Amino acid sequence: MAFSALDSALTGPLFATADMAAVFSERATVAAMLRVEAALADGLARAGLAPEGLAAAIAAIDPAGLDTAELGRATALAGVPVIPFVKAIEARLPPDLAPFFHLGATSQDIADTVLSLQMEQALLTLLPDLIATLDGLCGLAERHAQTPCAGRTYGQHAATVTFGYKVAVWASGIAGVATDWQLVFDRVRSLALDGPVGTRSGWGEHADTVTDTACEVLELSGSSVAWHTRRARRAEVAWWLALLLGALGKMATDVVHLASTEVSEVAEPHVAGRGGSSAMPHKHNPIGATVILAAASAAKGHVVTMLDAMSAAHERPAGAWHAEWHALPQLFGLASGALREARALAEGLVVDTARMAANLEMTRGLLYADRAAAALAPRFGRAAAHAVVERAAEAVRSGAVSLGDALASDPGLAGAEAMLAAAFDPAPALAAAAARCAQATQSVRAFTVDFLRNCPT
């Protein structure tokens, strides 16, 4: 039985990738705890506070030999998994080394540093799908830079754009969030070895040696003061993940509408058995977009949890820190599944250009209403021109006439035929959308090239 959709054997594969699940697995967590304790032991040895062989003895312990179920049962009593973990490791160390294990540290030191290591790996795990999504969207935008498509505001046809421009908006939104990846990555990679109340008193005058060594071994940054109760960096990670999911959600929202029966301008890539219905054999539901939207919706609550955790009492709070354990791993899991689906959409979205063209004709020229009003404004004035076109648009909506015919039949517009002819030429609108599409894709491609050049991987 699972209490989380991400941990469920039934629904977990839908919402999170196996790679991300592995980062936060019990086995990976225990292995990271051993790694942190070994780094602490290196620092203790360098400071002369522990024997030289302690770190090697810790590193030699196989995490697979630890019974995580038993550790879990003990955690239910202890309140923190580090406590039974420490006891289990002490029992496996030689008697001459065991007294020095975990010396001067506290449970939160280990748990927070472990989470730093896991978030570091989790952010790296997101990168391939993130970069591939941006690359795929740029390619899709470039291929359809000149493909006419209805621009929609308030769910209604507004003016002509190109489908490439629409995709470029998706790509730019995602890239805008991705620009902060490096900042977030650098800020999460922080050591948290500071002792029971954050003063490092257990190591006395050797505290700098202990923590500097651990930073060096783990390749993490240090801090001038404990961040046991300074949780802004963790909240920043949560916020960034939610923003990423929101940017992906913009794309998914559009895809769901464009894939609807009445619109049918795009379809998710066909995969046998995907998107069907248990009752309706004809269905091809947009599963990828659905997963993204579900993740974006679920993320908000986890961000609130992380923001609440910032109001931490004194040197260690009750409950707020524990609540983070629910939020951060699930946010990373949700982001991994959403990016997997976004990549599939970016690389395989099926575009029906003929349907886009047909839909443009659906409103019989109303997409050109703004240009018609602008064309008439120099002769009749802006307000009068707007009113004339608005009356003609109402005639289009109430009958079978086109906007062009409605305007042509207006006796007050005699002699304005040349002005109106230019207004119904789609070329300027398509050129403007294509230009913006090119600017956006060039910017996103430049970002990805620079990003990959400087990426830690």
Side-chain angles (χ1 to χ4, degrees), residues 157 359-370 372 387-410 413 424:
H157 284 203
N359 284 343
L360 283 169
E361 300 301 321
M362 182 186 302
T363 52
R364 302 190 298 280
L366 289 180
L367 284 158
Y368 300 100
D370 64 325
V388 167
V389 176
E390 188 175 15
R391 286 197 302 271
E394 185 58 35
V396 173
R397 285 190 289 267
S398 61
V401 67
S402 70
L403 181 63
D405 290 342
L407 291 171
S409 65
D410 189 327
L413 298 181
F424 286 89

Side-chain angles (χ1 to χ4, degrees), residues 166 169-170 249-260 266 293:
K166 190 180 293 286
V169 171
W170 303 345
K250 157 59 181 168
M251 174 178 69
T253 297
D254 286 352
V255 167
V256 168
H257 179 255
L258 294 174
S260 64
V266 305
L293 290 172

Side-chain angles (χ1 to χ4, degrees), residues 231-414:
R231 311 308 285 181
R233 291 191 178 189
R234 299 297 168 94
E236 283 177 344
V237 180
W239 181 248
W240 183 83
L241 290 167
L243 289 177
L244 176 62
L245 288 167
L248 297 174
K250 157 59 181 168
M251 174 178 69
T253 297
D254 286 352
V255 167
V256 168
H257 179 255
L258 294 174
S260 64
T261 303
E262 291 78 9
V263 181
S264 294
E265 293 181 357
V266 305
E268 292 197 355
H270 177 70
V271 178
R274 184 174 174 86
S277 165
S278 62
M280 296 169 284
H282 67 284
K283 294 298 293 293
H284 183 193
N285 294 319
I287 298 302
T290 296
V291 170
I292 294 170
L293 290 172
S297 179
K300 296 188 287 291
H302 294 310
V303 173
V304 171
T305 296
M306 297 304 299
L307 292 174
D308 284 347
M310 292 180 64
S311 300
H314 302 298
E315 284 64 56
R316 186 169 298 108
W321 172 48
H322 294 66
E324 292 182 1
W325 306 349
H326 296 280
L328 280 170
Q330 292 202 48
L331 278 167
F332 275 108
L334 292 168
S336 71
L339 275 173
R340 176 195 62 205
E341 300 301 334
R343 177 177 184 172
L345 291 176
E347 295 178 341
L349 193 69
V350 179
V351 181
D352 190 339
T353 58
R355 181 68 179 219
M356 288 180 180
N359 284 343
L360 283 169
E361 300 301 321
M362 182 186 302
T363 52
R364 302 190 298 280
L366 289 180
L367 284 158
Y368 300 100
D370 64 325
R371 290 180 55 80
L376 295 172
R379 178 172 172 179
F380 299 96
R382 183 177 180 278
H386 188 93
V388 167
V389 176
E390 188 175 15
R391 286 197 302 271
E394 185 58 35
V396 173
R397 285 190 289 267
S398 61
V401 67
S402 70
L403 181 63
D405 290 342
L407 291 171
S409 65
D410 189 327
L413 298 181

Side-chain angles (χ1 to χ4, degrees), residues 42 79 89 125 131 134 144 205 217 229 320 329 337 382 413:
D42 273 321
I89 300 304
T125 300
I131 296 301
L134 291 174
H144 292 282
E205 62 184 14
V217 172
T229 53
R382 183 177 180 278
L413 298 181

Side-chain angles (χ1 to χ4, degrees), residues 27 30 34 61-69 71 85 88-89 92:
R27 192 63 60 209
V30 170
L34 286 167
I61 296 174
D62 183 0
L66 295 172
D67 186 341
T68 54
L71 291 177
F85 165 81
I89 300 304
R92 285 165 170 77

